[in-house]
Amino acid sequence: MSKTSCPPAPRTRCPQCQRAQRTCICALAQPVEHGVQVLILQHPMEVHEAKGTGRLLQLSLPHSRLLVGEQFDAAELQAALHQPWAASVDIDTEPRQALLLYPETTEQDAALQLLPAAPLPAHWPCPPRLLRLVVIDGTWRKSRKMLYLNPALQALPRLALKDVPASGYAIRKAHLPGQLSSFEATVQALAQLEDWTAQTPETERLAAVFSRFIAQQRAQADERARP
């Protein structure tokens, strides 16, 4: 008589970073001060992706929120984009301008029949305290689908990165030149909006967080490769 094998016990996950306890990244995060609020829209397939950086980004930015989904409830998304964040550490006294961190893809947008993106405000650049940066956390293909499925995102003014540096995200393959991880891209965007330089303490601290994350991922990959 054959013995019935029991299914493996589910992994115990960290309630904050959603990773297995042995690969928890919470200790890597080093919160920095920033004026721009950051809304991270994470694709469901990134939630337990070991190489993903969205949750590390959220842990490192006190004035941030993370929502998981592919197609969001329209009212919920509108509130997250444009309304004050209730029960937040931020006390909003003025409306925030939402910006989508996304490159200019006019031809591709037309092919998908997306809504035209709104122009940047006439009084651009805005003070950081008046801005809310929206980041789509997913692969390029998944981010395009999320944009397609959520018209409210299509209509936002876009912020494209300037002078994109080489990525340090060697643990995950980029499909196009100039592509960065969500963590790197957001830090670059904040640098533009907050007028940070490479020597600004916030930039240096976030760069150190990312470096430690890459080192941890490589060490864990080496451990798994051992016989």
Side-chain angles (χ1 to χ4, degrees):
M1 180 181 293
S2 62
K3 295 183 179 179
T4 303
S5 59
C6 297
R11 291 182 179 182
T12 302
R13 294 192 176 275
C14 170
Q16 288 196 84
C17 69
Q18 300 299 311
R19 295 171 185 259
Q21 289 286 0
R22 66 182 185 82
T23 60
C24 174
I25 58 172
C26 293
L28 302 178
Q30 291 290 320
V32 302
E33 187 52 48
H34 56 104
V36 178
Q37 289 181 339
V38 178
L39 174 64
I40 305 164
L41 302 178
Q42 186 175 64
H43 191 276
M45 292 184 69
E46 291 293 313
V47 174
H48 299 310
E49 168 57 56
K51 299 174 184 177
T53 61
R55 186 64 69 172
L56 181 64
L57 179 65
Q58 187 254 334
L59 292 171
S60 298
L61 300 178
H63 309 293
S64 68
R65 284 195 163 189
L66 187 147
L67 299 178
V68 177
E70 186 175 62
Q71 183 172 17
F72 295 91
D73 174 80
E76 179 188 9
L77 182 57
Q78 282 289 347
L81 293 174
H82 301 295
Q83 297 300 318
W85 288 347
S88 169
V89 294
D90 300 305
I91 301 176
D92 291 318
T93 58
E94 300 179 77
R96 295 256 178 174
Q97 170 66 60
L99 302 171
L100 179 65
L101 176 57
Y102 214 82
E104 295 297 334
T105 53
T106 306
E107 292 183 5
Q108 298 95 317
D109 294 353
L112 291 174
Q113 298 183 326
L114 302 186
L115 297 174
L120 289 170
H123 52 284
W124 188 259
C126 299
R129 72 178 187 279
L130 300 182
L131 296 174
R132 180 173 295 164
L133 182 67
V134 182
V135 179
I136 300 179
D137 180 39
T139 63
W140 177 249
R141 179 178 293 182
K142 295 299 184 185
S143 73
R144 292 295 293 171
K145 186 174 183 182
M146 290 170 69
L147 188 61
Y148 177 78
L149 293 174
N150 297 279
L153 298 180
Q154 300 170 26
L156 291 178
R158 292 190 186 183
L159 179 75
L161 295 179
K162 303 174 183 177
D163 304 321
V164 179
S167 175
Y169 199 33
I171 59 173
R172 200 170 184 181
K173 182 179 179 180
H175 295 283
L176 293 172
Q179 285 186 337
L180 305 176
S181 67
S182 297
F183 192 100
E184 292 172 298
T186 303
V187 172
Q188 289 297 314
L190 287 176
Q192 288 181 199
L193 298 174
E194 305 256 7
D195 200 25
W196 294 345
T197 68
Q199 289 73 43
T200 300
E202 292 83 358
T203 309
E204 291 182 337
R205 179 175 292 186
L206 291 171
V209 169
F210 189 71
S211 294
R212 289 195 294 269
F213 171 75
I214 297 298
Q216 183 194 72
Q217 292 299 304
R218 284 176 168 161
Q220 291 168 357
D222 291 342
E223 183 180 342
R224 290 192 297 270
R226 294 193 190 104

